[in-house]
Amino acid sequence: MTSDELRTAVAEVERRERAATAALPLANDPAAPFRLTRAKWKGLHPDLKGTLVRDGMRRRMVMRGGALSEVFITDMKPRVAP
């Protein structure tokens, strides 16, 4: 396998993984330790926020005090894992 073929294969695997993750529902759990409004979430720098997969759902996370904390968006409908 040449280096170009390897790069292509790795890119395809990464694309499939991103698509599978994006297909998961996005949780909005009121039990999350950190609360933000939708506007404040959108205003955060991208390096300080993101999503992680846990319990079969994507969860919003924010960097706070050097650690990741799950976020509840107060002005959105709650959605918890089944």
Side-chain angles (χ1 to χ4, degrees), residues 4-58:
D4 287 339
E5 292 171 333
L6 182 59
R7 272 190 224 112
T8 303
V10 168
E12 178 62 23
V13 168
E14 290 173 346
R15 185 195 63 74
R16 278 193 233 138
E17 287 176 353
R18 279 192 304 273
T21 300
L24 293 172
L26 186 59
N28 193 31
D29 191 349
F34 196 60
R35 297 174 180 275
L36 290 174
T37 63
R38 187 182 307 184
K40 286 186 179 183
W41 171 258
K42 287 182 179 181
L44 284 175
H45 191 279
D47 288 346
L48 299 176
K49 66 181 181 178
T51 58
L52 294 177
V53 176
R54 185 168 51 95
D55 299 331
M57 296 186 84
R58 293 180 298 144

